[in-house]
Amino acid sequence: MAVVLRTQDHAAADRRAFWQDVVCDSFVPVHVKSLTDEPFHGRIQADRLGAVQIAEVVADPSQVDRTPRLITRSDAEFLLVGVIQGGSALIQQDGREAELHPGDIACYDTTRPYTLMCHEGFSMLEFMLPHRLTHLDSGQTGEVTATRFSATEGVGALVSPFLTRLAKRPRDYADSAESLARTTGDLLATMFAERCTRPSRDDAHAVRRTTFLRIRAYIDQNLGDPDLSPAQIAKAHHISLRYAQKLFAEEQTTITAWIRQRRLEGCRRDLTGPFAAGRTVASTAARWGLLDPAHFSRVFKSAYGLSPVDYRAAHSEK
């Protein structure tokens, strides 16, 4: 059930302190400063969808700061993704700033200092999710934080309405919560990869990271192709096979292992999803590009400890 917290339920003199506590409890420890002398008005409606925490924040002009001192007091490692609904906001992190208007998206990482400023009354949807859902760690998010993603261009035009609809009625999707949480992370990862297509040519690390993110997004989009291979992937990205393999070696994995892992994750979700009973194990595997049932059964059991049939049966008994 959604939790709704409002300053109007408290005396005017207590509202700023109440809002400070509410924001910290809903997200991570921060300093909140009102930018108006009037009695403060704010409301947070919070809910969850699997591993994703969702909140609608409506408030008077204010500034939120996550400082180095507050970070040392909290080991929270999340990515916050904001979608402006009304008013405007300015996000600052990692030496960049992004000004947001209705529909725009930007993210900021709780492991590093950031500032969120709203000089007018605003409404914002906030999604707080673990780094793993976006396939990025805290050391990689610095490439996309405090960057504006438009609701009218590129993947942002798909992601913005998706997030907005998801936040308005998350309880409608409770039966598919975990699957939708992963979908949210995958969409954000694809959006981030799109933005990383224009790094500085002088920044070799940025070029490698950009190429790696684009390849991962490409793999996720083509997992159902049984012919997906390291050579095909390298050709599609106009790089040598050796260079592509080196990118994955830097992440302590291989292209083949990454493809197998992502396919098995997709199969595992389908085997425990709402349509599992209507699909054979073989058709589930084929949907993810695994056409040899015996091979699929072996690698699935090696990864999860049970055969696909037994894994689905164990889940259905719960």
Side-chain angles (χ1 to χ4, degrees), residues 103 105 149-162 187 191 194:
I105 306 170
F149 294 89
S150 171
T152 60
E153 300 175 353
V155 181
L158 171 66
V159 175
S160 181
F162 171 81
L187 279 173
M191 184 179 73
E194 179 191 59

Side-chain angles (χ1 to χ4, degrees), residues 103-289:
D104 290 343
I105 306 170
C107 68
Y108 37 111
D109 195 309
T110 65
T111 65
R112 297 186 300 281
Y114 65 76
T115 295
L116 171 64
M117 289 187 290
C118 302
H119 292 290
E120 58 181 319
F122 71 97
S123 171
M124 177 183 282
L125 302 177
E126 290 276 13
F127 298 79
M128 189 164 75
L129 58 161
H131 293 122
R132 60 176 173 79
L133 282 185
T134 60
H135 315 297
L136 299 174
D137 61 36
S138 59
Q140 299 164 347
T141 57
E143 299 175 26
V144 293
T145 50
T147 299
R148 172 181 169 270
F149 294 89
S150 171
T152 60
E153 300 175 353
V155 181
L158 171 66
V159 175
S160 181
F162 171 81
L163 293 179
T164 299
R165 184 176 181 86
L166 202 61
K168 293 301 183 182
R169 302 179 64 88
R171 291 292 158 170
D172 288 355
Y173 314 109
D175 291 343
S176 304
E178 293 297 338
S179 178
L180 281 172
R182 287 187 291 267
T183 298
T184 300
D186 290 343
L187 279 173
L188 289 169
T190 302
M191 184 179 73
F192 296 154
E194 179 191 59
R195 181 54 52 87
C196 289
T197 59
R198 295 180 290 276
S200 167
R201 290 187 179 182
D202 295 329
D203 189 342
H205 173 73
V207 172
R208 290 198 305 275
R209 173 53 51 182
T210 295
T211 305
F212 180 66
L213 292 174
R214 292 175 66 189
I215 288 175
R216 290 202 315 194
Y218 179 87
I219 289 173
D220 281 351
Q221 293 163 10
N222 292 276
L223 287 172
D225 179 2
D227 295 324
L228 184 65
S229 68
Q232 176 193 335
I233 292 167
K235 182 178 180 181
H237 290 81
H238 309 290
I239 59 176
S240 70
L241 176 57
R242 182 177 180 182
Y243 182 67
Q245 292 170 330
K246 182 178 179 181
L247 292 176
F248 280 77
E250 290 174 354
E251 303 295 324
Q252 287 75 54
T253 187
T254 66
I255 301 175
T256 300
W258 183 267
I259 294 172
R260 181 172 61 248
Q261 174 189 333
R262 297 296 289 164
R263 281 174 166 164
L264 289 176
E265 288 173 357
C267 291
R268 181 180 62 83
R269 291 196 299 267
D270 282 0
L271 288 170
T272 59
F275 302 107
R279 292 194 186 111
T280 65
V281 168
S283 66
T284 297
R287 181 171 179 265
W288 292 96

Side-chain angles (χ1 to χ4, degrees), residues 12-26:
D14 299 330
R15 290 181 181 179
R16 285 179 171 81
F18 171 74
W19 189 246
Q20 166 76 40
D21 292 340
V22 165
V23 173
C24 292
D25 290 344
S26 299

